[in-house]
Amino acid sequence: MGQDRGKYDFYIGLALAISSSIFIGGSFILKKKGLLRLARKGSMRAGQGGHAYLKEWLWWAGLLSMGAGEAANFAAYAFAPATLVTPLGALSVLVSAVLSSYFLTERLNLHGKLGCLLSILGSTTMVIHAPQEEEIDSLKDMAKKLVDPGFVVFATAVIIIALIFIFVLGPRHGQTNILVYITICSVIGALSVSCVKGLGIAIKEAIAGKPVLRNPLAWLLLLSLIACVSTQINYLNKALDIFNTSLVTPIYYVFFTTSVLSCSAILFKEWEHMGVDDIIGTLSGFVTIIVGIFLLHAFKDVSISLATLAVSIRKDERNGPVSNGMAAHNHSNYELLRNEVTEDFEDREPGLPFDSVSRRNGTMTVS
């Protein structure tokens, strides 16, 4: 029964994670469309501190879509370990890229399609080799995890980094460097996932009839989650408003996933019982996803497909002999010119300094 229950939870978490990626990937497009409409109207942009997007229904549709995705993601963390749920966030990148090509006139070329394939393969590899987290069945166990010295140091470092980026680097470089706002979202996201995991345990206890509402940890986790999500939404809006969606989405995924995996490894000790093959498989899957995302967006402005690739290869084959002939011709010209220059220098007056002799338009001039 325990094994059947574990498989049942696994498939529930998997389905919720996939649906979450679809909703979140679509939310990027809706919110970007809303922000672009506001920019055309001349409203103060979110990147400049404006809040006119609160009156735009497309932005609200994107927010609701993201809310649905986050709710599904929330539930997925309650049924499955973070290292299973988080890598599937790559699917939101794929959804965003595909929808961007249709609704934001952003092309998906051959590199992009290969990147999508690699991201899916990398996600599958990480799911297969996902580590098992330590069993946490109650808020009491969660409280012990939260006061662990390793996690306390990690959480303190995250908060300090976030404050430095918000109050020091953000005002100076936020408008020009895409990593500033995304870093804020990503490091805060690591803490939000921990809060989500704890609240998922609290909901399970509440369903079992335990007095969860009397536990101060449940309220602390809820307030912390609200603060983290609010911060993420604010700075993600700024990043989307200033920079291209096809850049924001993959970079945010890589940074966010790295932060969550680090947090989960420290808080839930997921990597302690992994074999060498699972560690290599997990890291390889993650690197494969990063490569796929890089291909998906690094060459997005290059117009290339299988048809144009075949035409280019045939053109190179036809121009090959001509190119070689031109190279040989140029080499001969170089040898001829070199010989002429050598003869000119040999014929110059012995007392003339070297720098005073120059060759312009085939004639010798003395300065």
Side-chain angles (χ1 to χ4, degrees):
M1 288 295 293
Q3 292 180 349
D4 293 338
R5 181 65 181 177
K7 291 182 179 179
Y8 183 68
D9 289 347
F10 173 84
Y11 288 117
I12 291 178
L14 182 62
L16 289 171
I18 293 175
S19 62
S20 169
S21 297
I22 295 174
F23 281 113
I24 292 175
S27 72
F28 282 108
I29 308 304
L30 291 171
K31 294 170 85 172
K32 182 67 175 183
K33 291 282 286 185
L35 293 172
L36 289 175
R37 286 182 59 174
L38 289 173
R40 286 194 296 267
K41 293 178 182 177
S43 302
M44 180 178 290
R45 306 183 66 170
Q48 299 171 347
H51 298 282
Y53 57 84
L54 295 175
K55 299 179 181 179
E56 175 60 49
W57 70 269
L58 270 176
W59 184 88
W60 280 105
L63 182 63
L64 291 175
S65 178
M66 177 168 281
E70 292 295 345
N73 198 50
F74 180 97
Y77 280 110
F79 287 96
T83 44
L84 171 65
V85 177
T86 304
L88 294 179
L91 296 179
S92 67
V93 179
L94 309 187
V95 171
S96 177
V98 173
L99 293 180
S100 295
S101 64
Y102 287 99
F103 298 104
L104 298 178
T105 65
E106 297 175 2
R107 293 172 296 179
L108 186 63
N109 56 18
L110 181 61
H111 290 98
K113 294 173 183 178
L114 291 175
C116 290
L117 178 61
L118 286 175
S119 297
I120 294 174
L121 292 176
S123 297
T124 304
T125 303
M126 289 197 71
V127 169
I128 293 173
H129 295 280
Q132 296 295 320
E133 62 185 3
E134 290 186 355
E135 293 295 331
I136 301 177
D137 299 323
S138 65
L139 286 177
K140 184 178 180 180
D141 294 336
M142 187 68 182
K144 292 180 181 179
K145 293 290 184 183
L146 293 176
V147 297
D148 183 79
F151 180 74
V152 171
V153 172
F154 175 81
T156 303
V158 164
I159 293 173
I160 292 174
I161 291 172
L163 291 176
I164 291 174
F165 272 78
I166 290 173
F167 295 106
V168 179
L169 298 179
R172 298 179 182 177
H173 308 289
Q175 299 287 328
T176 56
N177 193 326
I178 192 174
L179 299 181
V180 175
Y181 292 147
I182 291 180
T183 300
I184 297 172
C185 298
S186 301
V187 296
I188 294 297
L191 297 181
S192 68
V193 168
S194 302
C195 296
V196 166
K197 190 69 177 179
L199 287 175
I201 296 172
I203 292 173
K204 285 184 176 181
E205 286 192 344
I207 295 174
K210 297 182 180 180
V212 175
L213 297 179
R214 299 178 184 177
N215 193 327
L217 179 59
W219 293 103
L220 178 61
L221 291 173
L222 179 60
L223 294 176
S224 299
L225 179 62
I226 293 173
C228 290
V229 171
S230 300
T231 304
Q232 285 179 269
I233 291 175
N234 181 39
Y235 286 97
L236 186 57
N237 275 334
K238 293 184 177 183
L240 285 171
D241 185 48
I242 298 171
F243 305 102
N244 195 301
T245 308
S246 60
L247 292 176
V248 173
T249 305
I251 296 175
Y252 176 63
Y253 167 77
V254 173
F255 278 46
F256 175 74
T257 304
T258 303
S259 299
V260 171
L261 292 179
S262 301
C263 182
S264 299
I266 295 172
L267 181 60
F268 301 113
K269 316 295 184 184
E270 295 174 341
W271 298 73
E272 288 187 355
H273 307 291
M274 290 180 65
V276 176
D277 55 342
D278 288 330
I279 293 176
I280 295 175
T282 301
L283 296 177
S284 299
F286 185 51
V287 172
T288 303
I289 294 174
I290 294 176
V291 173
I293 292 175
F294 175 78
L295 286 176
L296 182 62
H297 296 289
F299 303 99
K300 64 183 181 63
D301 294 326
V302 179
S303 180
I304 184 172
S305 62
L306 288 175
T308 57
L309 185 62
V311 171
S312 177
I313 292 174
R314 288 197 295 269
K315 183 184 293 186
D316 290 341
E317 289 176 351
R318 289 198 303 268
N319 296 336
V322 178
S323 299
N324 292 336
M326 289 294 293
H329 179 67
N330 291 337
H331 181 70
S332 300
N333 288 341
Y334 171 75
E335 291 290 340
L336 179 61
L337 178 62
R338 187 171 66 86
N339 292 335
E340 290 178 356
V341 172
T342 303
E343 292 174 359
D344 289 336
F345 279 120
E346 290 176 352
D347 294 339
R348 70 184 177 91
E349 296 179 13
L352 208 58
F354 181 83
D355 291 337
S356 64
V357 181
S358 64
R359 182 181 183 89
R360 294 188 180 91
N361 301 324
T363 62
M364 290 288 294
T365 59
V366 180
S367 56

